[in-house]
Amino acid sequence: MTDLREGIRDAAARLREAGVASADVDAVELAAHVLDVDASEVRRLMVLGGRSLPGSYAVLVDERVGRVPLQHLTGRAHFRRLTLSVGPGVFVPRPETEVLVDLALAEVDRLAAADRGEGPVRVVDLCSGSGAIALSVKDERPDAHVRGLELSPDARAWAVANRDRLGLDVDLVQGDATRPCFEDWTGTVDVVTINPPYIPVGAVPLDPEVRDHDPEVALYGGSEDGLAIPLAVAGVAAALLRPGGLVLVEHADSQGESLPRRLSATGEWTDVTDHADLSGRPRVTVARRSA
Ligand SMILES: C[S@@+](CC[C@H](N)C(=O)[O-])C[C@H]1O[C@@H](n2cnc3c(N)ncnc32)[C@H](O)[C@@H]1O
């Protein structure tokens, strides 16, 4: 047993030395995990003093020093209002993707308020991973009809487990989003969300957490510019959407001009715009299906 305050302070110092940017937060999160309380309770206990940490804390800190992702050690990732189960075989959802969900929900809100008399708003999430986007949309707009598609059986299994634990009615299927899918909804979907693999092939991520632990299929976009898979999936979205329907595609910082340009060039899209994430970096291209 180690004193809580000292244990967390030492852990944060070791994590900082290992190059972990969020060292202080991670040291607290790992303590919260082993004590089975939330981070605010750990901070309270640090102020009060007199508590200790079990030996399992040091084991987890060692793994984090070895750059195993925090979310793999705690088994959970926070995304909007949800706590998602994650681990090996599935992409850990990122805070920057929350902007895409904000934009998608704004469109769902707009359509629902317009009372079009066409039944529930239809949303399709392609490349679903843990289900972060599809499950958040359903959680925040329970009246929307949401379906998701994921290529990797392992990732889909995580998404299904999340869906079932959270009790959210989302159809999650396994399949290739570069091929026709959900054909019973062709030309009828209102919103398609896509966070595809988009890292340029050959541009290996610097962070060991990403490079060594996110599945390769979740990272690389299939071409030197990283846009082959995103553009192919956008083509599938074009077939699913009704005229005027909205597609939202997450992309790398470096693709804020190239992706909108390439989408515009297809002739399938109008009103192509790009949006920044909370740190001001270009992150999501949004476009409407041409009539
Ligand atoms: C960047 S991750 C995003 C996951 C999730 N949407 C999120 O935002 O956290 C990309 C996901 O696309 C999946 N994927 C890759 N190629 C695919 C394809 N051709 N069809 C469907 N899913 C694919 C990967 O397995 C991975 O789960």
Side-chain angles (χ1 to χ4, degrees), residues 67 69 91 94 199 205 207-215 219:
R67 305 298 293 267
F91 181 84
R94 310 290 205 265
I199 297 177
D207 285 342
E209 289 87 344
V210 180
R211 187 186 63 222
D212 302 337
H213 296 278
D214 277 324
L219 299 179

Side-chain angles (χ1 to χ4, degrees), residues 30-252:
L30 289 175
H33 178 62
V34 296
L35 295 174
D36 197 20
V37 297
D38 63 22
S40 59
E41 176 63 6
V42 172
R43 291 187 200 284
R44 197 180 72 85
L45 295 173
M46 285 173 79
V47 173
L48 291 178
R51 278 292 292 266
S52 46
L53 288 162
S56 56
Y57 183 68
V59 176
L60 289 180
V61 171
D62 283 347
E63 290 201 63
R64 189 71 190 99
V65 165
R67 305 298 293 267
V68 175
L70 173 72
Q71 296 86 350
H72 283 201
L73 298 174
T74 62
R76 61 188 186 205
H78 302 292
F79 188 81
R80 296 183 70 88
R81 306 197 313 200
L82 304 179
T83 300
L84 298 161
S85 298
V86 292
V90 71
F91 181 84
V92 174
R94 310 290 205 265
E96 52 265 36
T97 303
E98 297 195 5
V99 169
L100 182 152
V101 178
D102 277 334
L103 294 165
L105 284 169
E107 178 73 354
V108 175
D109 290 347
R110 191 183 70 78
L111 294 170
D115 192 17
R116 306 165 301 153
E118 290 172 25
V121 176
R122 289 183 165 183
V123 180
V124 168
D125 177 45
L126 300 174
C127 304
S128 292
S130 64
I133 298 171
L135 296 176
S136 288
V137 169
K138 186 68 183 176
D139 176 52
E140 295 180 49
R141 277 307 306 213
D143 54 333
H145 207 149
V146 184
R147 299 170 89 174
L149 183 87
E150 166 57 44
L151 181 64
S152 151
D154 289 345
R156 179 181 170 268
W158 284 100
V160 167
N162 282 316
R163 175 194 68 189
D164 294 348
R165 183 175 43 77
L166 294 165
L168 293 165
D169 181 16
V170 173
D171 177 26
L172 291 169
V173 305
Q174 195 251 322
D176 184 349
T178 66
R179 316 283 314 158
C181 56
F182 299 127
E183 288 178 281
D184 53 324
W185 273 15
T186 298
T188 70
V189 174
D190 298 294
V191 178
V192 176
T193 55
I194 311 171
N195 181 11
Y198 51 66
I199 297 177
V201 170
V204 178
L206 293 176
D207 285 342
E209 289 87 344
V210 180
R211 187 186 63 222
D212 302 337
H213 296 278
D214 277 324
E216 279 197 16
V217 66
L219 299 179
Y220 300 104
S223 56
E224 261 181 41
D225 64 1
L227 291 178
I229 294 175
L231 288 168
V233 180
V236 169
L240 284 168
L241 286 164
R242 60 168 172 76
L246 201 71
V247 70
L248 305 99
V249 190
E250 183 170 319
H251 58 73

